[in-house]
């Protein structure tokens, strides 16, 4: 039974996104990125390509990096119940960097709780 439990634990965890921000905190990001100083090339050297890019109305370029680590809810593994109701919970980090031409204008890192649920009662 121990092997089955271990298999369920391994299958119940998932991560996605840009692993370069996985262990970052606001403090470590602030050590690597300085508003008005750090360039796009320097950001790319540290974090790689962003998950998403966009532009503000005023033309500033925005780079977005996301990393999420989730675990399956225990109720997912209850016979019959799991077939009708399932979900995940965990943490997501999002790093947003706004550039003014080639230089960082503003940046922020957020660390949020995330939950998903599908099925009955969702």
């Amino acid at each position: 039974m121990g092997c089955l439990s271990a298999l369920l634990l391994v299958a119940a965890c998932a991560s996605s996104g840009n692993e370069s921000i996985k262990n970052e905190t606001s403090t470590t990001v602030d050590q690597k990125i300085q508003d008005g100083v750090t360039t796009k090339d320097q950001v790319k050297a540290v974090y790689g390509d962003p998950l998403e890019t966009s532009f503000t109305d005023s033309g500033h370029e925005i780079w977005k990096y996301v990393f999420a680590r989730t675990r399956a809810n225990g109720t997912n593994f209850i016979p019959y119940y799991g077939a009708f109701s399932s979900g995940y919970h965990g943490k997501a980090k999002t790093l947003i960097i706004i550039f003014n031409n080639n230089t960082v204008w503003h940046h922020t890192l957020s660390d949020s709780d995330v939950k998903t649920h599908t099925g009955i009662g969702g």
Side-chain angles (χ1 to χ4, degrees), residues 42-107:
Q42 291 169 320
V43 170
K44 197 173 273 195
V46 173
Y47 296 112
D49 289 322
L51 175 69
E52 181 181 308
T53 60
S54 59
F55 291 89
T56 66
D57 290 342
S58 58
H60 293 99
E61 189 171 359
I62 302 170
W63 288 7
K64 182 177 182 181
Y65 296 85
V66 177
F67 180 79
R69 177 176 286 140
T70 58
R71 295 176 188 256
N73 294 341
T75 55
N76 293 3
F77 304 104
I78 298 173
Y80 302 109
Y81 182 84
F84 297 103
S85 179
S86 63
Y88 292 84
H89 65 280
K91 290 278 195 182
K93 290 185 181 189
T94 305
L95 174 61
I96 307 262
I97 304 167
I98 304 172
F99 294 94
N100 183 20
N101 296 318
N102 191 43
T103 306
V104 173
W105 186 40
H106 293 292
H107 71 281

Side-chain angles (χ1 to χ4, degrees), residues 18-52:
N18 190 311
E19 294 225 358
S20 68
I21 66 168
K22 176 170 115 176
N23 297 316
E24 293 287 7
T25 65
S26 292
T27 302
T28 60
V29 168
D30 288 346
Q31 292 169 351
K32 296 170 186 168
I33 299 176
Q34 295 177 350
D35 294 351
V37 176
T38 308
T39 66
K40 286 181 183 179
D41 288 339
Q42 291 169 320
V43 170
K44 197 173 273 195
V46 173
Y47 296 112
D49 289 322
L51 175 69
E52 181 181 308

